[in-house]
Amino acid sequence: MAKRYFGTDGIRGRVGQFPVTPDFVLKLGWAAGKVFAREGRSKILIGKDTRISGYMFESALEAGLSAAGVDVLLTGPMPTPAIAYLTRTFRADAGIVISASHNPYFDNGIKFFSANGTKLPDEIEQAIEAQMDIAMTTVDSAELGKARRLVDAPGRYIEFCKATAGGISLKGIKLVLDCANGATYHVAPSVFEELGAEIIESASSPDGLNINEDCGATATQKLQTLVTAEKADLGIALDGDGDRVIMVDHEGEEVDGDELLFIIASQMQREGNFKGGVVGTLMSNFGLEQAFNRADIPFIRANVGDRYVMEQLYKNNWLLGGESSGHIVCRHLTTTGDGAVAAIQVLKAMVESGKSLRELRAGMKKLPQTMINVRLEKKVDISGVEEIDDAVAATEDKLGSRGRVLLRPSGTEPVVRVMIEGEDESEVDSLCKELAVDVEKALNSLETSVQAS
């Protein structure tokens, strides 16, 4: 059954526009409370990032849950992965995060974790949506849910992150830490400082409006400049809700999620702790696949989105997966993507190998990539279009084993993304332009035939 409100990562949108409105979120809290309270008294934990609208939606969720008879634990600003962890440790029935991740301050969203700290199964999300169709009621006053603040939430999460370091010391390492003016601003500096590193903080003064603004994992330019200016060993950039990480080496060059995934997997292999394989996505660089092939590490691709990476990890009972965007899941350590935990694993590899981040990344060579967006009048299903299939096959024949072709319709706009990766940059660029022209012609013909019918 298609879902009306939930996407691949909860509910997200512009604040004040449906469904990201106070009245909808109030009803959503009540609906979720009703679903989780069916087995008896229920307890749900709520966290948020630093955007100004978080206060409004926190109050709306709290009121809705209380009206449904559900107790609420409020953490205040905390990273998304911290909520997953705290939901488990407090034996809560669910966790809720108020965040729009790497989006600007004027967006916000609601995402849920199960009692196990994982994304909600489809059937629970569908049950919540079905409950939204029922008129909201309030339990008897004696049964109203109670709310309390968890004052020690930051300390608990800091200790959890430090425990994933395996006892290493970061003494002697100087790093610049970009917190994106987001949910990690008051926890991530303590994590790395208490592990022994010398920390230079950046974008760690949120004001409700500056989250992800020219900073964080989606905008590393300032971090790159700071790392070289401060002569730091590396830089770490987290995103607004702390579930992504991008790093910068000592020469100021960005190290993306694919390269970090390779570094972590290689270290686990050296330690003899590696089991199974690694899950990437359709957008993972072909160079990552080649590097894993050389290391004899199985590698498969999931659809884009951490939800799909997690599905494949559980299906194959593997421990490590992630996206080039920096969303990395270390399933042997936690249940969801965690930027701080992933960064610690990279630092652990540096300490135990005695190599710099730049040296560790050298084991994987990213291949040139060209992507062209073919814009349409409206969304069109490209599966089974013979002209497109033939054009893709012809391009793949020209590339051979030196690269790959990917056509991916956008999930949010009428665009088909034509992407080619390969060993020769000029060849990749030329083939991508040719294929984009062929795809555009085929789609124009398809739209014309649809209109004619």
Side-chain angles (χ1 to χ4, degrees), residues 232-375:
D233 296 296
L234 72 151
I236 298 172
L238 303 167
D239 71 337
D241 73 329
D243 64 356
R244 295 188 187 190
V245 61
I246 297 292
M247 298 177 79
V248 171
D249 69 22
H250 70 279
E251 293 192 12
E253 290 192 14
E254 185 177 284
V255 183
D256 72 8
D258 287 342
E259 295 167 298
L260 299 179
L261 199 56
F262 171 75
I263 291 170
I264 295 170
S266 298
Q267 177 62 24
M268 291 173 66
Q269 189 181 54
R270 284 191 292 271
E271 293 173 342
N273 295 329
F274 196 84
K275 296 178 182 178
V278 176
V279 178
T281 74
L282 295 174
M283 298 303 292
S284 297
N285 192 276
F286 190 58
L288 178 64
E289 185 174 335
Q290 291 180 322
F292 282 142
N293 285 338
R294 290 193 295 270
D296 199 26
I297 294 175
F299 176 75
I300 61 173
R301 295 177 185 271
N303 288 329
V304 176
D306 64 292
R307 185 186 194 98
Y308 303 111
V309 171
M310 290 299 299
E311 282 179 1
Q312 290 299 319
L313 286 174
Y314 280 107
K315 179 181 177 181
N316 293 281
N317 196 27
W318 290 357
L319 302 178
L320 186 64
E323 302 181 89
S324 54
S325 62
H327 194 282
I328 296 173
V329 181
C330 300
R331 211 180 122 230
H332 57 301
L333 300 171
T334 188
T335 59
T336 190
D338 190 316
V341 169
I344 288 170
Q345 305 320 300
V346 174
L347 286 161
K348 183 180 177 185
M350 290 174 59
V351 170
E352 296 191 348
S353 68
K355 295 181 178 180
S356 68
L357 178 59
R358 190 172 185 83
E359 290 172 316
L360 289 175
R361 74 184 295 199
M364 174 199 155
K365 181 184 177 185
K366 288 176 68 176
L367 296 189
Q369 179 188 94
T370 299
M371 184 164 68
I372 298 174
N373 290 331
V374 177
R375 193 160 293 277

Side-chain angles (χ1 to χ4, degrees), residues 286 367-372 395 398-399 402-405 418-436:
F286 190 58
L367 296 189
Q369 179 188 94
T370 299
M371 184 164 68
I372 298 174
T395 305
K398 292 175 184 176
L399 268 178
R402 303 185 311 280
R404 70 182 184 112
V405 179
V418 179
M419 189 193 80
I420 297 182
E421 291 177 321
E423 296 172 358
D424 187 299
E425 188 170 2
S426 62
E427 180 187 33
V428 165
D429 191 58
S430 175
L431 288 176
C432 192
K433 289 175 181 175
E434 290 175 13
L435 182 56

Side-chain angles (χ1 to χ4, degrees), residues 23-88:
D23 54 335
F24 179 89
V25 172
L26 171 69
K27 184 76 177 288
L28 178 67
W30 173 83
K34 283 295 185 183
V35 169
F36 286 106
R38 285 173 183 169
E39 302 299 321
R41 194 76 184 181
S42 188
K43 177 172 63 178
I44 292 180
L45 190 142
I46 301 177
K48 60 183 179 181
D49 64 24
T50 56
R51 50 197 91 217
I52 192 169
S53 59
Y55 295 94
M56 176 173 69
F57 292 127
E58 180 186 57
S59 298
L61 281 171
E62 179 186 348
L65 289 164
S66 177
V70 173
D71 292 335
V72 178
L73 301 177
L74 300 166
T75 70
M78 286 293 289
T80 289
I83 301 306
Y85 166 71
L86 293 167
T87 297
R88 299 197 316 273

Side-chain angles (χ1 to χ4, degrees), residues 60-246:
L61 281 171
E62 179 186 348
L65 289 164
S66 177
V70 173
D71 292 335
V72 178
L73 301 177
L74 300 166
T75 70
M78 286 293 289
T80 289
I83 301 306
Y85 166 71
L86 293 167
T87 297
R88 299 197 316 273
T89 59
F90 276 93
R91 304 294 189 271
D93 297 279
I96 303 177
V97 181
I98 305 165
S99 175
S101 189
H102 56 282
N103 287 26
Y105 79 93
F106 48 73
D107 289 336
N108 216 331
I110 309 293
K111 48 189 170 185
F112 289 80
F113 286 108
S114 71
N116 297 320
T118 59
K119 298 289 175 70
L120 288 186
D122 288 337
E123 56 267 26
I124 299 297
E125 290 184 345
Q126 288 166 348
I128 293 172
E129 289 197 351
Q131 190 70 34
M132 292 286 290
D133 293 332
I134 299 172
M136 185 173 169
T137 57
T138 303
V139 298
D140 184 78
S141 293
E143 300 299 320
L144 288 170
K146 299 177 181 179
R148 66 183 176 95
R149 293 254 166 209
L150 294 180
V151 294
D152 61 343
R156 285 173 177 259
Y157 177 64
I158 289 167
E159 290 304 315
F160 162 72
C161 290
K162 288 163 55 184
T164 68
I168 64 161
S169 170
L170 301 183
K171 190 173 182 180
I173 293 178
K174 181 179 181 180
L175 63 87
V176 182
L177 180 62
D178 180 344
C179 297
N181 289 315
T184 63
Y185 80 98
H186 61 320
V187 290
S190 296
V191 169
F192 295 103
E193 193 169 57
E194 291 177 23
L195 285 172
E198 179 186 348
I199 305 296
I200 299 166
E201 292 186 34
S202 176
S204 59
S205 301
D207 62 10
L209 306 177
N210 60 2
I211 185 171
N212 299 313
E213 185 180 17
D214 299 324
C215 58
T218 56
T220 61
Q221 295 84 357
K222 289 181 180 178
L223 177 62
Q224 291 171 287
T225 301
L226 262 176
V227 167
T228 54
E230 296 286 348
K231 294 182 171 53
D233 296 296
L234 72 151
I236 298 172
L238 303 167
D239 71 337
D241 73 329
D243 64 356
R244 295 188 187 190
V245 61
I246 297 292

